């Protein structure tokens, strides 16, 4: 199986999975072409932090135009610095940098059971209206610690495979899946969240 890694210059490079794969360069101007909401600090090239979190329901997005279809894999480190939650919209089809349109939200949040533990959930949006939440998955990490999530989405079948820190934690299925999208968006809501080492791959069958 070959992996096609999307480079932020929007060229495609065919390569095998490797620890040496380059992460997203958050200083690349492509991240700004759709606009941003909120205040984001870029640390080095591979980490970005939402620095403004006091205003309720502020639409804080850090956006990248990127065509997505087929089987996609999204891998990223996430850590909640203040507040309770953050996430990434994927397979989004809105183009104004504010709305996400039709999309999936990969959501990382404080566990409803308390104790500072983290959980993962999946939301689906159609024309910016939330349709459903998938069952919550408890994660073996605390909210303030770095966690590495890897989510593979087969857009043809609606199958999701979720890993946390290298271990599979869930398999989910959407019976009416979203088949494609044209941007991704890092997102926070009344929280300050850091993201690092974002890698987005299209998985091509050999």
């Amino acid at each position: 199986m070959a992996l096609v890694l999307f480079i932020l210059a929007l060229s495609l490079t065919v390569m095998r999975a490797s620890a040496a794969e380059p992460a997203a360069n958050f200083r690349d101007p492509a991240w700004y072409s759709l606009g941003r909401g909120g205040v984001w600090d870029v640390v080095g090239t591979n980490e970005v932090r939402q620095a403004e979190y006091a205003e309720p329901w502020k639409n804080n997005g850090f956006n990248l135009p990127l065509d997505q279809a087929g089987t996609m894999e999204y891998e990223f480190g996430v850590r909640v610095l203040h507040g309770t939650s953050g996430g990434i919209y994927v397979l989004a089809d809105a183009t104004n940098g504010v709305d996400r349109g039709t999309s999936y939200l990969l959501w990382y949040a404080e566990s409803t059971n308390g104790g500072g533990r983290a959980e993962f959930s999946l939301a689906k949006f159609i024309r910016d209206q939330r349709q459903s939440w998938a069952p919550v998955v408890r994660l073996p990490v605390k909210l303030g610690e770095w966690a590495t999530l890897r989510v593979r989405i087969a857009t043809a079948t609606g199958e999701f495979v979720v890993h946390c820190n290298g271990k599979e934690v869930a398999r989910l299925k959407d019976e009416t899946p979203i088949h494609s999208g044209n941007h991704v968006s890092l997102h926070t809501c009344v929280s300050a969240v850091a993201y690092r080492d974002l890698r987005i791959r299209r998985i091509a069958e050999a």
Side-chain angles (χ1 to χ4, degrees):
M1 177 181 291
L3 296 182
V4 180
L5 176 67
F6 287 92
I7 305 301
L8 288 187
L10 303 185
S11 60
L12 300 180
T13 301
V14 179
M15 59 196 315
R16 294 185 181 276
S18 167
E21 289 179 12
N25 178 359
F26 291 120
R27 295 189 184 276
D28 190 297
W31 278 100
Y32 313 140
S33 62
L34 285 175
R36 292 185 278 183
V39 178
W40 296 82
D41 295 330
V42 179
V43 181
T45 60
N46 69 324
E47 182 179 338
V48 64
R49 301 173 183 171
Q50 167 56 255
E52 179 184 52
Y53 61 93
E55 184 175 344
W57 305 112
K58 187 177 180 70
N59 194 344
N60 294 327
F62 200 67
N63 305 292
L64 172 71
L66 184 66
D67 288 334
Q68 302 150 82
T71 299
M72 302 295 302
E73 187 172 83
Y74 306 87
E75 181 179 358
F76 56 96
V78 59
R79 180 186 177 197
V80 176
L81 306 174
H82 301 282
T84 60
S85 57
I88 298 184
Y89 285 90
V90 302
L91 293 162
D93 69 356
T95 57
N96 59 14
V98 177
D99 301 317
R100 279 83 180 189
T102 295
S103 62
Y104 291 115
L105 173 59
L106 313 180
W107 196 236
Y108 181 79
E110 184 177 14
S111 172
T112 53
N113 289 341
R117 309 302 293 184
E119 63 187 25
F120 171 86
S121 56
L122 171 71
K124 180 182 180 180
F125 291 78
I126 302 295
R127 295 184 293 278
D128 268 328
Q129 300 300 310
R130 191 176 76 193
Q131 304 298 301
S132 61
W133 282 101
V136 168
V137 179
R138 306 285 188 257
L139 300 177
V141 293
K142 291 186 176 181
L143 197 68
E145 301 172 343
W146 280 107
T148 299
L149 297 179
R150 187 172 81 249
V151 182
R152 181 173 293 194
I153 306 173
T155 64
T157 61
E159 295 173 295
F160 294 72
V161 182
V162 183
H163 287 78
C164 178
N165 292 347
K167 296 182 178 180
E168 183 178 319
V169 294
R171 288 180 177 255
L172 307 169
K173 186 175 177 63
D174 179 5
E175 297 294 343
T176 56
I178 299 169
H179 296 300
S180 64
N182 57 29
H183 80 272
V184 299
S185 176
L186 309 184
H187 177 74
T188 69
C189 181
V190 203
S191 298
V193 182
Y195 301 90
R196 70 181 182 187
D197 299 331
L198 172 65
R199 294 174 172 87
I200 303 172
R201 313 176 181 96
R202 177 179 291 167
I203 309 299
E205 298 294 335

